[in-house]
Structures are given as structure tokens and as C-alpha cells.
């Protein structure tokens, strides 16, 4: 087995470290040299880290001009086990579609704050992939959340001498103001959606305050008609153009909540309709996952496509232009209007703490303590006074 690296003492607390790289095309030995100042133990640790980088493809000869795009590919691979697949997919999109075309060919050691700032300025003015202007400050912040930690990792691993993204100026991201439907608007949305294929997810969203992925990830075994509860334990996500059931965002997101009789009736009837459709289509009916929300052929519903369909439904029926997630805000606002304590709302929405609930719904916050179940019944059966 060949020697992959060595340490030679030059003088007190100064060490010469040699790392054996792959031989070049002519078969000549290729080496990388470092000078380390410190103890022998520290030099051993430094050598071990360099060998680890060599195994991961992060350590290359200076003559290869290690480019930022190459580094980003290696960095993304190195964090893939620690991040959710959807996060890696998002990072990959930004890296390949935005970052690499502008910064990918710059050697990482020659990357400057000026390069990144010019790139950010361009993105704000012309960065949209459809050619219709610049990206939003929020999108730019998402891009920065990739570049900054990637360069920080390079700095921590002694690939670069400083993180040049620390000096960039980012625009202020305006906080999204949640939209809420009033009781009458909620009833109008439910009524107009009743005869459409978006009805069931809308009804579940309004009556439970669940997130889009949680709603579309429900299976029939999650619903207890006798006890009138729904157990949210997974979500449906579009990952690399494939629909997958995944775990929820946090432990607190896994929750069982009470549902009103109105929703029980809606879901019971829908389950009967599903059974009829399955009987009619036979093997062509594809609901092998036993999912609650499926299309007429029994196929899972793509979350992104559903949001677009929901938006078209609202526009067609001259209803307030909201996101599906705003049904969650609407549910919370209706609970607050009945003076339900924030701790119960936090549990129902799957928030990790009451603090999160207060931050989002601070202007709706009430202190009165009233039981949740009966109030939810009243909200949708007879408008509570």
C-alpha cells in the first residue's frame, strides 16, 4: 500500500506535510505540500483532514484550477445525508440554474466578494429564468443560503483563506403578510368548490388548518370516523419529479386532532364515491397507497399542480386571491375569533411552541380559555356569536 502522506519536522513547531495526489497522465508522481505551524499532534490532524478531502474529491492540484462549480458539486454531495431530499433538490436547482452559469468557472481561491455582489445585483435585475426581469429578494436570500455555507465549509477545511460572501449586501426581504378569509368567504369557497375536483383538499384544509403536503399525504387509515380524529404523520412531496411520502417537518407536526361532524360527513361520502370509482375502473384505478386525496383515476395529486389549480379556481369564481396555505391562517383566525387559547391552536397546527403561534398570529392572540372541540363544531354549523 503506497504512502499517502508524510510529515517532516523542519524546525521547532514547524512541519512540512506532503500529500500524495494521483499520478499525472505521464505516470509522474504528483504531490501537494503544506507548511504547518504548531504541535506534532496538530500536524497529524491537519494531514488526516487533507487526506479526507482527497478521498471526497475536494483536494486537487493547484494546477487544476479548482473551480467554484466543481466545489459546489462536492459540497452538495457531502451534505446530502444531513438534508432532506427536497432541500437537496432545491439547492441543486439554484446551483445549476443560477450560480454555476455566473460563478461556476471561477477558481474558488480567486472568487472575490465583488464577483458575488455583481452576481447578486444581476439576479435582482435579470435573474428570472423566464426572462421576465429579476428574482425576488427572498429568492436571492435562498441563493445566498447556499453560497455562504458552502464557502464557510471551504474556509473551515482550509481550501480558502476567508469566506468572501460575508461582505455582500443583500436586499431586505419583506415579511409575507398572511391573508385570512372571513366566515362568509370560507362558506363561499366551500360551496363553490363542492362540485369541483379540488373540493376534498380544500375542505380538509379549512376544517383542520393542515399544510398542503399534510393534506395530500393523508391515507384513509389516518382518519378515525368513530372518534372524529385525523392523524397527521406524513406529507406528500414532489422530489425530482417523483411524488413521495416523507416525514413531517418537526416532531410537533406529527399530531392527532379532532374534526367536526361536518368534515366527517364529507369524508365518509367521498370514501363511498372512491369505492364506486374503483369498482367502475377496476385495475385502471391506481390508488395503491390508499390515499385520501386522489384524482378520478386514483392517482396521487401533485402538490405544486394542485396549488396552480387552486389559484385558477379562485380566479374563475371571483374569490379572494390567496394561497392554499392561507386556509391554514384562516383556520387559526377563526379559532382566535372564538377566544381559544394559543396553546391549543399551537398543538392543532403542529407548531413547536406557543411562541411560534404568537409570532404568526400576534394580532389575533386572545387569552380566554374555551374548549376547542365544541367551538370548532359551532364555527361551521352555526356561526358562533
Amino acid at each position: 500500500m503506497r504512502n499517502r502522506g508524510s510529515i517532516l519536522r523542519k524546525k521547532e513547531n514547524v512541519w512540512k506535510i506532503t500529500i500524495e495526489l494521483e499520478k499525472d497522465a505521464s505516470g509522474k508522481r504528483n504531490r501537494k505540500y503544506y507548511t504547518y505551524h504548531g504541535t506534532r499532534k496538530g500536524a497529524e490532524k491537519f494531514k488526516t483532514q487533507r487526506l479526507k478531502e482527497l478521498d471526497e474529491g475536494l483536494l486537487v492540484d493547484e494546477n487544476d484550477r479548482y473551480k467554484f462549480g466543481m466545489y459546489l458539486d462536492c459540497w452538495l454531495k457531502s451534505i446530502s445525508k444531513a438534508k432532506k431530499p427536497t432541500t437537496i433538490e432545491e439547492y441543486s436547482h439554484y446551483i445549476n440554474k443560477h450560480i454555476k452559469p455566473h460563478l461556476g468557472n471561477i477558481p474558488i481561491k480567486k472568487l472575490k466578494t465583488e464577483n458575488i455582489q455583481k452576481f447578486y445585483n444581476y439576479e435582482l435585475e435579470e435573474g428570472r429564468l423566464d426572462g421576465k426581469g429579476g428574482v425576488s429578494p427572498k429568492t436571492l436570500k435562498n441563493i445566498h443560503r447556499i453560497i455562504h455555507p458552502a464557502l464557510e465549509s471551504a474556509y473551515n477545511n482550509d481550501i480558502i483563506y476567508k469566506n468572501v460572501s460575508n461582505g455582500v449586501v443583500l436586499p431586505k426581504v419583506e415579511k409575507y403578510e398572511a391573508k385570512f378569509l372571513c366566515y362568509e368567504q370560507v362558506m363561499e369557497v366551500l360551496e363553490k368548490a363542492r362540485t369541483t375536483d379540488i373540493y376534498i383538499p380544500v375542505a380538509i384544509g379549512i376544517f383542520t388548518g393542515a399544510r398542503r403536503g399534510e393534506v395530500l399525504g393523508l391515507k384513509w387509515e389516518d382518519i378515525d370516523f368513530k372518534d372524529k380524529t385525523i392523524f397527521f404523520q406524513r406529507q406528500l412531496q414532489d422530489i425530482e419529479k417523483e411524488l413521495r411520502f416523507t416525514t413531517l417537518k418537526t416532531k410537533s407536526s406529527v399530531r392527532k386532532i379532532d374534526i367536526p361532524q361536518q368534515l366527517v360527513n364529507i369524508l365518509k361520502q367521498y370514501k363511498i364515491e372512491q369505492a364506486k370509482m374503483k369498482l367502475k375502473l377496476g385495475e385502471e384505478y391506481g390508488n395503491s397507497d390508499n390515499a385520501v386525496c386522489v384524482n378520478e383515476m386514483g392517482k396521487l395529486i401533485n402538490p405544486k399542480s394542485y396549488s396552480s389549480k387552486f389559484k385558477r379556481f379562485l380566479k374563475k369564481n371571483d374569490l379572494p386571491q390567496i394561497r392554499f396555505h392561507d386556509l391554514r391562517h384562516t383556520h387559526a383566525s377563526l379559532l382566535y375569533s372564538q377566544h381559544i387559547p394559543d396553546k391549543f391552536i399551537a398543538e392543532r397546527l403542529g407548531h413547536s411552541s406557543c411562541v411560534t403561534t404568537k409570532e404568526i398570529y400576534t394580532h389575533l392572540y386572545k387569552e380566554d380559555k374555551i374548549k376547542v372541540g365544541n367551538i370548532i363544531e359551532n364555527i361551521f354549523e352555526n356561526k358562533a356569536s
Side-chain angles (χ1 to χ4, degrees), residues 178-349:
K179 295 179 180 179
F180 307 89
L181 299 180
C182 66
Y183 175 83
E184 289 75 16
Q185 290 172 324
V186 168
M187 293 298 103
E188 186 177 9
V189 168
L190 280 172
E191 182 59 33
K192 290 186 175 180
R194 192 178 303 277
T195 57
T196 72
D197 57 358
I198 72 164
Y199 179 54
I200 296 302
V202 165
I204 297 173
I206 287 175
F207 283 106
T208 67
R211 302 173 180 91
R212 180 189 64 182
E214 294 172 342
V215 171
L216 298 180
L218 280 174
K219 298 186 179 184
W220 284 113
E221 57 260 36
D222 300 322
I223 301 174
D224 189 324
F225 290 125
K226 183 179 179 181
D227 289 342
K228 296 196 297 186
T229 61
I230 287 182
F231 183 35
F232 292 105
Q233 59 179 320
R234 77 184 72 77
Q235 61 183 328
L236 183 67
Q237 292 184 301
D238 181 353
I239 302 174
E240 297 179 350
K241 298 183 179 180
E242 179 184 347
L243 295 181
R244 302 181 194 172
F245 291 105
T246 63
T247 57
L248 295 181
K249 188 176 181 180
T250 62
K251 288 183 178 180
S252 58
S253 295
V254 178
R255 63 205 186 278
K256 181 181 287 188
I257 67 170
D258 295 325
I259 57 175
Q261 187 63 45
Q262 294 94 323
L263 183 57
V264 170
N265 294 339
I266 290 170
L267 292 174
K268 277 185 175 181
Q269 181 59 39
Y270 180 62
K271 190 173 185 181
I272 293 173
E273 293 173 6
Q274 265 197 17
K276 290 180 179 178
M277 186 60 67
K278 183 177 182 180
L279 186 63
K280 178 181 178 181
L281 296 177
E283 294 183 357
E284 293 182 19
Y285 192 77
N287 191 7
S288 60
D289 296 300
N290 200 33
V292 174
C293 299
V294 294
N295 64 19
E296 60 183 9
M297 298 300 294
K299 303 295 184 182
L300 296 175
I301 298 173
N302 186 296
K304 297 175 183 177
S305 300
Y306 182 83
S307 288
S308 299
K309 185 177 287 189
F310 178 67
K311 186 176 181 180
R312 291 194 298 270
F313 159 77
L314 295 175
K315 186 175 182 180
K316 179 181 179 180
N317 290 278
D318 197 27
L319 293 166
Q321 294 299 297
I322 61 171
R323 308 169 306 168
F324 185 86
H325 197 78
D326 290 321
L327 296 181
R328 178 174 170 83
H329 297 315
T330 294
H331 183 81
S333 71
L334 290 171
L335 298 184
Y336 271 115
S337 73
Q338 302 306 308
H339 314 301
I340 294 176
D342 61 293
K343 68 176 182 178
F344 291 114
I345 298 176
E347 291 173 1
R348 188 170 182 84
L349 297 179

Side-chain angles (χ1 to χ4, degrees), residues 85-120:
T86 49
T87 301
I88 296 300
E89 183 184 26
E90 179 186 3
Y91 283 10
S92 180
H93 168 78
Y94 284 128
I95 288 172
N96 292 315
K97 299 296 184 180
H98 291 266
I99 302 173
K100 276 187 178 181
H102 296 273
L103 303 176
N105 286 325
I106 299 176
I108 189 170
K109 289 195 174 184
K110 293 187 178 181
L111 188 65
K112 299 178 180 179
T113 303
E114 180 183 3
N115 301 131
I116 300 175
Q117 188 67 65
K118 285 183 177 180
F119 164 58
Y120 285 178

Side-chain angles (χ1 to χ4, degrees), residues 74-85 87-88:
C74 293
W75 174 78
L76 190 64
K77 184 178 180 181
S78 71
I79 66 170
S80 61
K81 299 295 183 182
K83 300 288 185 179
K84 287 193 172 184
T87 301
I88 296 300

